[in-house]
Amino acid sequence: MSAIGYFVAGTDTGVGKSLASSALLHKLVDQGMRAVGMKPVAAGTFEQHCAHTNEDVLQLQAAGNVAAPLALRCPYLLQAPLSPHLAAAAEGVTISLPRITGAYRELAAMADAVIVEGAGGFRVPLTQELDGADLAAALELPVILVVGMRLGCLNHALLTQDAIAARGLRLDGWIACRVDPGMDASDANVATLQRLMNAPMLGDIPHLQHADARRAAAFLDTSALLRPTEFPR
């Protein structure tokens, strides 16, 4: 059986993508699967044990149960906390889609499930010519959209849904992440999205004082996410 793979996209940066991706990994591990997280492009590092690392990459690693090299889990680890195309340019790095799809294939050979977390919003630039949507299309994976519940989220979610469809990709579900605890009419906004989104809601993660992926996993339903997908070309 081929590995299950999903590309986790966000409506924007800071919408809870890493939390939701790690929570998905916890759910898959709890179901007895070998699951690994991948962050193809991570921008913004800090030093730990004399090496540079990234918080999102660490969170995904902690949630999975497959030991895989960092070079596969994060082919591009960039130091500056900027849009990937700017961070890469600052280091003289050119982001290559074949390098990322090759790393994905290797991870998929090690695991039953691979959760791929995109950078920033769905169409964040990766190079002068490529963006996050191009990456999702190159991986040929179904998409899970994380919607950060805050003012403007309805427009952002619907525009992103349209962008996913425009690339010929399948939106298999979306997750509400309540990043703004003071948002007015948050329940009504979730209900509106349930009516307007063309995919099922897979979870509604409440605002957590501490971003705990294990706790967040309790608010997800992954029963629909157990269909194998083909490896990207």
Side-chain angles (χ1 to χ4, degrees), residues 7-15 17 39 41 56 83-84 117-124 126 132 146:
F7 185 88
V8 179
T11 49
D12 200 352
T13 190
V15 296
K17 231 177 20 281
K39 180 88 173 181
V41 182
D56 296 346
S83 175
E117 181 193 344
F122 182 61
R123 292 212 53 195
V124 67
L126 301 179
V146 179

Side-chain angles (χ1 to χ4, degrees), residues 37-42 57 69-78 93-104 107 116-117 135:
M38 181 185 190
K39 180 88 173 181
V41 182
V57 174
L70 176 62
L72 298 182
R73 293 183 289 104
C74 183
Y76 292 97
L77 182 60
L78 306 170
V93 171
T94 300
I95 294 173
S96 161
L97 294 183
R99 177 174 168 181
I100 294 172
T101 56
Y104 174 82
L107 287 177
V116 182
E117 181 193 344
L135 172 56

Side-chain angles (χ1 to χ4, degrees), residues 99-146:
R99 177 174 168 181
I100 294 172
T101 56
Y104 174 82
R105 285 192 186 94
E106 292 192 52
L107 287 177
M110 301 176 182
D112 301 313
V114 185
I115 298 297
V116 182
E117 181 193 344
F122 182 61
R123 292 212 53 195
V124 67
L126 301 179
T127 70
Q128 294 299 323
E129 294 81 25
L130 301 172
D131 63 18
D134 294 310
L135 172 56
L139 289 169
E140 297 181 323
L141 295 176
V143 178
I144 296 172
L145 179 62
V146 179

Side-chain angles (χ1 to χ4, degrees), residues 155-199:
N155 180 59
H156 290 165
L158 296 174
L159 285 175
T160 306
Q161 175 174 252
D162 289 348
I164 291 167
R167 294 302 177 105
L169 298 171
R170 191 177 79 220
L171 178 62
D172 270 14
W174 63 280
I175 297 170
C177 196
R178 306 213 183 199
V179 294
D180 179 5
M183 180 185 184
D184 292 331
S186 58
D187 290 342
N189 276 272
V190 169
T192 299
L193 287 172
Q194 286 180 290
R195 178 171 59 85
L196 295 176
M197 295 294 285
N198 298 323

